[in-house]
Amino acid sequence: MDFLFRPCELEMDFESYVQFLLEHHRELNLPYPFAVKLSFVSSPLVAGKAMLIFSEEPYEIVGAAGFVIGTGANQYEDKHVCQIETVFIRQEYRVASLFWQSMRALVELMKQENPAVRQVQFWASADHKEQESLFRKFASLPGASRTVVEGLALYQVPYSELEAYLAWI
């Protein structure tokens, strides 16, 4: 199956992105009240970039991803950091190959939006077994780290290492 990765550029893309993630907000595994979830999923439209993932046949949205440039903890002044806010793929499309294709597209979009990017980071549940096996690969890259804070794991990866890894797989 072929997939299309389309950055959100138009108002209809923004609407589709938010609507898709709101429809699936319970599946995002975010341990926050709805208002905070809404903030996370919509922040890439304001402070970064969002992307829709389409299947080509049938042509429909099967996923969405987004990142912000900088971090809230540093008032978004740390422009060398891109923080992934969400990557979500519908259950019936969750296969490793689509995840890696999506990550490649997202990392390329980061560089286009922010040529100064040097670090990619994201937060995930510290005890979610399915995700952990996937994310362990990121944490094992040179210069990467995993830090647990109040049940959440912060993964930080040098952009160059992540880009090289994604090109290799």
Side-chain angles (χ1 to χ4, degrees):
M1 181 173 284
D2 292 324
F3 297 95
L4 172 69
F5 305 92
R6 187 174 82 200
C8 294
E9 301 288 344
L10 306 172
E11 187 173 327
M12 68 179 211
D13 297 330
F14 300 156
E15 186 176 321
S16 294
Y17 172 84
V18 171
Q19 182 177 358
F20 177 81
L21 290 174
L22 288 178
E23 287 171 8
H24 298 281
H25 79 91
R26 285 184 181 88
E27 300 167 71
L28 294 174
N29 295 319
L30 295 173
Y32 305 113
F34 179 78
V36 177
K37 288 182 193 179
L38 181 59
S39 172
F40 274 108
V41 301
S42 62
S43 61
L45 300 174
V46 177
K49 199 67 171 182
M51 174 181 79
L52 294 168
I53 305 164
F54 291 87
S55 65
E56 288 192 351
E57 191 61 43
Y59 188 75
E60 63 182 350
I61 298 172
V62 300
F67 64 90
V68 295
I69 298 170
T71 61
N74 291 308
Q75 283 68 46
Y76 301 96
E77 295 294 321
D78 48 352
K79 303 279 187 211
H80 67 286
V81 177
C82 282
Q83 179 165 289
I84 298 172
E85 296 290 278
T86 188
V87 174
F88 179 79
I89 299 171
R90 286 184 9 210
Q91 182 68 39
E92 62 270 29
Y93 291 93
R94 288 185 192 160
V95 294
S97 62
L98 178 56
F99 175 77
W100 296 121
Q101 288 176 51
S102 301
M103 286 302 296
R104 265 188 232 107
L106 191 61
V107 165
E108 288 173 19
L109 188 57
M110 286 177 185
K111 192 63 149 187
Q112 290 170 13
E113 280 301 301
N114 181 18
V117 62
R118 292 191 319 269
Q119 179 178 303
V120 176
Q121 69 180 41
F122 61 93
W123 292 86
S125 175
D127 59 0
H128 195 276
K129 303 270 187 266
E130 182 181 305
Q131 292 176 344
E132 182 56 30
S133 65
L134 200 60
F135 299 156
R136 194 174 320 125
K137 294 174 181 158
F138 295 129
S140 68
L141 294 173
S145 65
R146 178 184 186 268
T147 308
V148 177
V149 180
E150 297 180 19
L152 293 174
L154 171 62
Y155 294 85
Q156 296 176 304
V157 184
Y159 177 87
S160 60
E161 294 295 335
L162 182 56
E163 183 181 45
Y165 178 74
L166 292 170
W168 176 75
I169 59 168

